[in-house]
Amino acid sequence: MAPRKGSFSAGADVAPDGRKGVFLMLFGLMLFSVLNGVVKAQTELFPILQIMVFRNAFALLPLAFLIGHTVGWPSLITRRPLWHLLHAVLVSGAIGLIFMGYRALPLADATAINFAAPLVVCALSVPILREPVGALKWGAVLVGFVGVLIMVRPGGDVIREGAIYSFAGTVLSACGLLLARHLSKHDPTTTIVFLFMAISSIVMLPLLPAVWVTPTPLQLVGLVSMGGASGVAQYMTTRALFHASVSTVATMGYTKMIWALLIGYFAFGDWPAPVVLAGAGLVLLSTWVVYRKESAAARGAAG
């Protein structure tokens, strides 16, 4: 039986397109950026475990609709159940640790640590996935990281308990990306995302009564909506891994700072300082370099 190529519709033979992978990752990260603002507000009201359960459990609703109308439920049958279990454990652990880091550290310090993920991904993608990174992508990653450091301007005192949480979450997140890239070569995107959300929810659900905080009806609507939107965003960012290499899509993660700036300005009227705009320019430059490289590769493959 030939490996399934992660097709969007049943039986479709879709060829990977690096440009499409970049666009999917950018839109998924934009949605995640909005959701991060929602989650940040929710952490003041609810335990992290409760937020994660709602996030993952209700993300299954749009995914179930997508599966039912495209690839079909038999697509959830996988020959790699242990890999999917490991993926769910890695990503769930990463989310929890990163949230703990944000709670324990100043936002700038935690953000700077979390944005080390593309460097970890690029370093590990060569020995684990045998994917060439190349000098141009390495350069784009480093330029983007410098841009993020300029924007967040972290303090020097970051070797604390919260810093350990943030860095551990960053490493787990990078490993989760690598594993999702591997799985995307064999299973449909919907299978990867649905099994991650389902396994994570099942594992965490027994722990929920110990930390449960009863939400108001309006808060309940917010938690459920956050979960549904997370399912859409998770699908887009995972689908991007089918189309583009993991080092490529990881570099796109820097654009979350751009969305944070835009959301801060339009929602709260916060105008960024010139140094922040300069850092944002470097982030955009690194993203554009990677996109141009993928465009050239796509044209070469087509020719």
Side-chain angles (χ1 to χ4, degrees), residues 22 67 73 96 101 120 138-139 143 148 155 161 173 195 197-198 211 228 237 245 249 251 253 263 277 291 293 296:
V22 169
I67 291 171
W73 292 105
V120 178
W138 269 116
V143 169
V148 170
E161 183 180 6
S173 178
L195 290 180
M197 296 293 186
V211 299
T237 54
S245 68
V249 299
T251 306
I263 293 169
L277 293 177
Y291 175 74
K293 179 175 175 56

PDB file of all heavy atoms in Angstrom, residues 22 67 73 96 101 120 138-139 143 148 155 161 173 195 197-198 211 228 237 245 249 251 253 263 277 291 293 296:
ATOM      1  N   VAL A  22       3.714  28.057   2.694  1.00  0.00           N
ATOM      2  CA  VAL A  22       4.006  29.337   3.342  1.00  0.00           C
ATOM      3  C   VAL A  22       2.720  30.092   3.644  1.00  0.00           C
ATOM      4  O   VAL A  22       2.518  30.618   4.750  1.00  0.00           O
ATOM      5  CB  VAL A  22       4.951  30.182   2.463  1.00  0.00           C
ATOM      6  CG1 VAL A  22       5.036  31.616   2.987  1.00  0.00           C
ATOM      7  CG2 VAL A  22       6.334  29.560   2.410  1.00  0.00           C
ATOM      8  N   ILE A  67     -13.611  16.173   8.039  1.00  0.00           N
ATOM      9  CA  ILE A  67     -13.364  14.768   7.712  1.00  0.00           C
ATOM     10  C   ILE A  67     -14.594  14.129   7.071  1.00  0.00           C
ATOM     11  O   ILE A  67     -14.498  13.408   6.073  1.00  0.00           O
ATOM     12  CB  ILE A  67     -12.957  13.993   8.986  1.00  0.00           C
ATOM     13  CG1 ILE A  67     -11.568  14.446   9.460  1.00  0.00           C
ATOM     14  CG2 ILE A  67     -12.949  12.483   8.733  1.00  0.00           C
ATOM     15  CD1 ILE A  67     -11.179  13.902  10.805  1.00  0.00           C
ATOM     16  N   TRP A  73     -14.303   9.063   7.330  1.00  0.00           N
ATOM     17  CA  TRP A  73     -13.855   8.557   8.621  1.00  0.00           C
ATOM     18  C   TRP A  73     -12.848   7.417   8.535  1.00  0.00           C
ATOM     19  O   TRP A  73     -12.008   7.266   9.441  1.00  0.00           O
ATOM     20  CB  TRP A  73     -15.069   8.150   9.456  1.00  0.00           C
ATOM     21  CG  TRP A  73     -15.887   9.338   9.861  1.00  0.00           C
ATOM     22  CD1 TRP A  73     -17.086   9.725   9.352  1.00  0.00           C
ATOM     23  CD2 TRP A  73     -15.533  10.325  10.832  1.00  0.00           C
ATOM     24  NE1 TRP A  73     -17.518  10.883   9.942  1.00  0.00           N
ATOM     25  CE2 TRP A  73     -16.575  11.275  10.861  1.00  0.00           C
ATOM     26  CE3 TRP A  73     -14.446  10.497  11.685  1.00  0.00           C
ATOM     27  CZ2 TRP A  73     -16.554  12.371  11.704  1.00  0.00           C
ATOM     28  CZ3 TRP A  73     -14.418  11.599  12.525  1.00  0.00           C
ATOM     29  CH2 TRP A  73     -15.469  12.520  12.530  1.00  0.00           C
ATOM     30  N   GLY A  96       1.443  23.347  27.404  1.00  0.00           N
ATOM     31  CA  GLY A  96       1.366  23.563  28.838  1.00  0.00           C
ATOM     32  C   GLY A  96       2.586  24.279  29.392  1.00  0.00           C
ATOM     33  O   GLY A  96       2.464  25.217  30.189  1.00  0.00           O
ATOM     34  N   GLY A 101       5.389  29.250  31.259  1.00  0.00           N
ATOM     35  CA  GLY A 101       6.446  30.237  31.119  1.00  0.00           C
ATOM     36  C   GLY A 101       5.911  31.644  31.029  1.00  0.00           C
ATOM     37  O   GLY A 101       6.450  32.580  31.648  1.00  0.00           O
ATOM     38  N   VAL A 120      16.030  25.584  16.741  1.00  0.00           N
ATOM     39  CA  VAL A 120      16.023  24.184  17.165  1.00  0.00           C
ATOM     40  C   VAL A 120      15.542  23.290  16.027  1.00  0.00           C
ATOM     41  O   VAL A 120      16.110  22.221  15.770  1.00  0.00           O
ATOM     42  CB  VAL A 120      15.125  24.005  18.411  1.00  0.00           C
ATOM     43  CG1 VAL A 120      15.081  22.532  18.826  1.00  0.00           C
ATOM     44  CG2 VAL A 120      15.636  24.862  19.566  1.00  0.00           C
ATOM     45  N   TRP A 138      19.180  29.265   6.756  1.00  0.00           N
ATOM     46  CA  TRP A 138      19.828  29.543   8.033  1.00  0.00           C
ATOM     47  C   TRP A 138      19.967  31.046   8.234  1.00  0.00           C
ATOM     48  O   TRP A 138      19.728  31.574   9.325  1.00  0.00           O
ATOM     49  CB  TRP A 138      21.207  28.886   8.082  1.00  0.00           C
ATOM     50  CG  TRP A 138      21.219  27.503   8.643  1.00  0.00           C
ATOM     51  CD1 TRP A 138      21.553  26.343   7.999  1.00  0.00           C
ATOM     52  CD2 TRP A 138      20.884  27.106   9.976  1.00  0.00           C
ATOM     53  NE1 TRP A 138      21.435  25.272   8.838  1.00  0.00           N
ATOM     54  CE2 TRP A 138      21.037  25.696  10.059  1.00  0.00           C
ATOM     55  CE3 TRP A 138      20.464  27.806  11.114  1.00  0.00           C
ATOM     56  CZ2 TRP A 138      20.785  24.991  11.230  1.00  0.00           C
ATOM     57  CZ3 TRP A 138      20.207  27.084  12.280  1.00  0.00           C
ATOM     58  CH2 TRP A 138      20.378  25.715  12.327  1.00  0.00           C
ATOM     59  N   GLY A 139      20.358  31.734   7.171  1.00  0.00           N
ATOM     60  CA  GLY A 139      20.482  33.184   7.264  1.00  0.00           C
ATOM     61  C   GLY A 139      19.157  33.851   7.570  1.00  0.00           C
ATOM     62  O   GLY A 139      19.078  34.778   8.392  1.00  0.00           O
ATOM     63  N   VAL A 143      18.332  36.093  10.868  1.00  0.00           N
ATOM     64  CA  VAL A 143      17.868  37.479  10.707  1.00  0.00           C
ATOM     65  C   VAL A 143      16.520  37.671  11.399  1.00  0.00           C
ATOM     66  O   VAL A 143      16.286  38.662  12.093  1.00  0.00           O
ATOM     67  CB  VAL A 143      17.776  37.844   9.215  1.00  0.00           C
ATOM     68  CG1 VAL A 143      17.045  39.182   9.035  1.00  0.00           C
ATOM     69  CG2 VAL A 143      19.172  37.943   8.604  1.00  0.00           C
ATOM     70  N   VAL A 148      13.203  39.599  16.101  1.00  0.00           N
ATOM     71  CA  VAL A 148      12.346  39.356  17.262  1.00  0.00           C
ATOM     72  C   VAL A 148      13.005  39.880  18.536  1.00  0.00           C
ATOM     73  O   VAL A 148      12.359  40.504  19.390  1.00  0.00           O
ATOM     74  CB  VAL A 148      12.034  37.855  17.389  1.00  0.00           C
ATOM     75  CG1 VAL A 148      11.357  37.555  18.719  1.00  0.00           C
ATOM     76  CG2 VAL A 148      11.132  37.413  16.247  1.00  0.00           C
ATOM     77  N   GLY A 155      15.083  41.183  28.965  1.00  0.00           N
ATOM     78  CA  GLY A 155      16.033  41.551  29.995  1.00  0.00           C
ATOM     79  C   GLY A 155      17.117  40.502  30.125  1.00  0.00           C
ATOM     80  O   GLY A 155      17.026  39.407  29.573  1.00  0.00           O
ATOM     81  N   GLU A 161      13.106  29.850  36.928  1.00  0.00           N
ATOM     82  CA  GLU A 161      12.226  28.701  36.761  1.00  0.00           C
ATOM     83  C   GLU A 161      11.347  28.871  35.529  1.00  0.00           C
ATOM     84  O   GLU A 161      11.167  27.941  34.741  1.00  0.00           O
ATOM     85  CB  GLU A 161      11.355  28.536  38.000  1.00  0.00           C
ATOM     86  CG  GLU A 161      10.443  27.320  37.947  1.00  0.00           C
ATOM     87  CD  GLU A 161       9.605  27.184  39.191  1.00  0.00           C
ATOM     88  OE1 GLU A 161       9.650  28.098  40.036  1.00  0.00           O
ATOM     89  OE2 GLU A 161       8.897  26.169  39.324  1.00  0.00           O
ATOM     90  N   SER A 173       8.025  21.771  21.383  1.00  0.00           N
ATOM     91  CA  SER A 173       7.290  22.270  20.224  1.00  0.00           C
ATOM     92  C   SER A 173       8.049  21.996  18.931  1.00  0.00           C
ATOM     93  O   SER A 173       7.455  21.595  17.914  1.00  0.00           O
ATOM     94  CB  SER A 173       7.034  23.775  20.382  1.00  0.00           C
ATOM     95  OG  SER A 173       6.361  24.298  19.265  1.00  0.00           O
ATOM     96  N   LEU A 195      -6.346  13.215  15.510  1.00  0.00           N
ATOM     97  CA  LEU A 195      -5.821  12.291  16.513  1.00  0.00           C
ATOM     98  C   LEU A 195      -5.078  13.034  17.613  1.00  0.00           C
ATOM     99  O   LEU A 195      -5.145  12.647  18.793  1.00  0.00           O
ATOM    100  CB  LEU A 195      -4.913  11.255  15.851  1.00  0.00           C
ATOM    101  CG  LEU A 195      -5.618  10.233  14.956  1.00  0.00           C
ATOM    102  CD1 LEU A 195      -4.613   9.258  14.362  1.00  0.00           C
ATOM    103  CD2 LEU A 195      -6.689   9.475  15.729  1.00  0.00           C
ATOM    104  N   MET A 197      -5.733  16.140  18.730  1.00  0.00           N
ATOM    105  CA  MET A 197      -6.738  16.764  19.588  1.00  0.00           C
ATOM    106  C   MET A 197      -7.478  15.719  20.429  1.00  0.00           C
ATOM    107  O   MET A 197      -7.738  15.928  21.621  1.00  0.00           O
ATOM    108  CB  MET A 197      -7.737  17.546  18.737  1.00  0.00           C
ATOM    109  CG  MET A 197      -7.144  18.722  17.975  1.00  0.00           C
ATOM    110  SD  MET A 197      -6.582  20.019  19.094  1.00  0.00           S
ATOM    111  CE  MET A 197      -6.119  21.306  17.910  1.00  0.00           C
ATOM    112  N   ALA A 198      -7.834  14.593  19.812  1.00  0.00           N
ATOM    113  CA  ALA A 198      -8.602  13.566  20.514  1.00  0.00           C
ATOM    114  C   ALA A 198      -7.770  12.914  21.622  1.00  0.00           C
ATOM    115  O   ALA A 198      -8.236  12.761  22.762  1.00  0.00           O
ATOM    116  CB  ALA A 198      -9.082  12.517  19.519  1.00  0.00           C
ATOM    117  N   VAL A 211      -9.293  20.632  38.955  1.00  0.00           N
ATOM    118  CA  VAL A 211      -8.976  22.054  38.791  1.00  0.00           C
ATOM    119  C   VAL A 211     -10.166  22.854  38.260  1.00  0.00           C
ATOM    120  O   VAL A 211     -10.040  24.045  38.007  1.00  0.00           O
ATOM    121  CB  VAL A 211      -7.771  22.232  37.837  1.00  0.00           C
ATOM    122  CG1 VAL A 211      -6.534  21.543  38.398  1.00  0.00           C
ATOM    123  CG2 VAL A 211      -8.089  21.699  36.434  1.00  0.00           C
ATOM    124  N   GLY A 228     -13.031  25.745  18.846  1.00  0.00           N
ATOM    125  CA  GLY A 228     -13.361  25.540  17.436  1.00  0.00           C
ATOM    126  C   GLY A 228     -12.396  26.250  16.506  1.00  0.00           C
ATOM    127  O   GLY A 228     -11.930  25.669  15.510  1.00  0.00           O
ATOM    128  N   THR A 237      -1.889  25.015   9.989  1.00  0.00           N
ATOM    129  CA  THR A 237      -0.448  24.961  10.243  1.00  0.00           C
ATOM    130  C   THR A 237       0.106  23.550  10.037  1.00  0.00           C
ATOM    131  O   THR A 237       1.265  23.395   9.637  1.00  0.00           O
ATOM    132  CB  THR A 237      -0.139  25.436  11.677  1.00  0.00           C
ATOM    133  OG1 THR A 237      -0.921  24.688  12.620  1.00  0.00           O
ATOM    134  CG2 THR A 237      -0.453  26.920  11.833  1.00  0.00           C
ATOM    135  N   SER A 245       8.975  22.246   3.696  1.00  0.00           N
ATOM    136  CA  SER A 245       9.866  21.637   4.678  1.00  0.00           C
ATOM    137  C   SER A 245       9.652  22.268   6.043  1.00  0.00           C
ATOM    138  O   SER A 245       9.182  23.399   6.174  1.00  0.00           O
ATOM    139  CB  SER A 245      11.327  21.811   4.253  1.00  0.00           C
ATOM    140  OG  SER A 245      11.698  23.176   4.323  1.00  0.00           O
ATOM    141  N   VAL A 249       8.561  26.303   7.219  1.00  0.00           N
ATOM    142  CA  VAL A 249       7.373  26.757   7.937  1.00  0.00           C
ATOM    143  C   VAL A 249       7.726  27.244   9.335  1.00  0.00           C
ATOM    144  O   VAL A 249       7.041  28.121   9.888  1.00  0.00           O
ATOM    145  CB  VAL A 249       6.304  25.651   7.997  1.00  0.00           C
ATOM    146  CG1 VAL A 249       5.856  25.260   6.609  1.00  0.00           C
ATOM    147  CG2 VAL A 249       6.805  24.428   8.747  1.00  0.00           C
ATOM    148  N   THR A 251      10.257  29.048  10.136  1.00  0.00           N
ATOM    149  CA  THR A 251      10.681  30.438  10.002  1.00  0.00           C
ATOM    150  C   THR A 251       9.486  31.376  10.001  1.00  0.00           C
ATOM    151  O   THR A 251       9.567  32.511  10.478  1.00  0.00           O
ATOM    152  CB  THR A 251      11.492  30.620   8.707  1.00  0.00           C
ATOM    153  OG1 THR A 251      12.563  29.668   8.695  1.00  0.00           O
ATOM    154  CG2 THR A 251      12.073  32.014   8.617  1.00  0.00           C
ATOM    155  N   GLY A 253       7.057  31.342  11.839  1.00  0.00           N
ATOM    156  CA  GLY A 253       6.607  31.611  13.199  1.00  0.00           C
ATOM    157  C   GLY A 253       6.964  32.997  13.687  1.00  0.00           C
ATOM    158  O   GLY A 253       6.276  33.552  14.562  1.00  0.00           O
ATOM    159  N   ILE A 263      -2.593  43.701  16.151  1.00  0.00           N
ATOM    160  CA  ILE A 263      -3.703  43.529  17.092  1.00  0.00           C
ATOM    161  C   ILE A 263      -3.602  44.554  18.215  1.00  0.00           C
ATOM    162  O   ILE A 263      -4.608  45.152  18.632  1.00  0.00           O
ATOM    163  CB  ILE A 263      -3.710  42.092  17.652  1.00  0.00           C
ATOM    164  CG1 ILE A 263      -4.048  41.101  16.534  1.00  0.00           C
ATOM    165  CG2 ILE A 263      -4.710  41.955  18.797  1.00  0.00           C
ATOM    166  CD1 ILE A 263      -3.831  39.650  16.919  1.00  0.00           C
ATOM    167  N   LEU A 277       9.421  48.684  15.190  1.00  0.00           N
ATOM    168  CA  LEU A 277       9.147  48.653  13.756  1.00  0.00           C
ATOM    169  C   LEU A 277      10.368  48.168  12.980  1.00  0.00           C
ATOM    170  O   LEU A 277      10.236  47.456  11.979  1.00  0.00           O
ATOM    171  CB  LEU A 277       8.721  50.042  13.273  1.00  0.00           C
ATOM    172  CG  LEU A 277       7.380  50.550  13.810  1.00  0.00           C
ATOM    173  CD1 LEU A 277       7.119  51.969  13.306  1.00  0.00           C
ATOM    174  CD2 LEU A 277       6.249  49.618  13.394  1.00  0.00           C
ATOM    175  N   TYR A 291      10.065  32.801   1.323  1.00  0.00           N
ATOM    176  CA  TYR A 291       9.002  32.657   0.323  1.00  0.00           C
ATOM    177  C   TYR A 291       9.570  32.705  -1.090  1.00  0.00           C
ATOM    178  O   TYR A 291       9.171  31.936  -1.971  1.00  0.00           O
ATOM    179  CB  TYR A 291       7.955  33.753   0.501  1.00  0.00           C
ATOM    180  CG  TYR A 291       6.894  33.715  -0.583  1.00  0.00           C
ATOM    181  CD1 TYR A 291       5.919  32.732  -0.586  1.00  0.00           C
ATOM    182  CD2 TYR A 291       6.903  34.658  -1.608  1.00  0.00           C
ATOM    183  CE1 TYR A 291       4.961  32.675  -1.585  1.00  0.00           C
ATOM    184  CE2 TYR A 291       5.945  34.610  -2.612  1.00  0.00           C
ATOM    185  CZ  TYR A 291       4.976  33.623  -2.588  1.00  0.00           C
ATOM    186  OH  TYR A 291       4.047  33.569  -3.577  1.00  0.00           O
ATOM    187  N   LYS A 293      12.513  31.829  -2.041  1.00  0.00           N
ATOM    188  CA  LYS A 293      13.228  30.582  -2.291  1.00  0.00           C
ATOM    189  C   LYS A 293      12.246  29.475  -2.647  1.00  0.00           C
ATOM    190  O   LYS A 293      12.493  28.685  -3.573  1.00  0.00           O
ATOM    191  CB  LYS A 293      14.053  30.192  -1.063  1.00  0.00           C
ATOM    192  CG  LYS A 293      14.815  28.877  -1.233  1.00  0.00           C
ATOM    193  CD  LYS A 293      15.697  28.585  -0.059  1.00  0.00           C
ATOM    194  CE  LYS A 293      16.367  27.217  -0.192  1.00  0.00           C
ATOM    195  NZ  LYS A 293      17.133  27.073  -1.437  1.00  0.00           N
ATOM    196  N   ALA A 296      10.982  30.011  -6.216  1.00  0.00           N
ATOM    197  CA  ALA A 296      11.957  29.574  -7.220  1.00  0.00           C
ATOM    198  C   ALA A 296      11.993  28.053  -7.341  1.00  0.00           C
ATOM    199  O   ALA A 296      12.089  27.510  -8.429  1.00  0.00           O
ATOM    200  CB  ALA A 296      13.347  30.117  -6.846  1.00  0.00           C
TER     201      ALA A 296
END
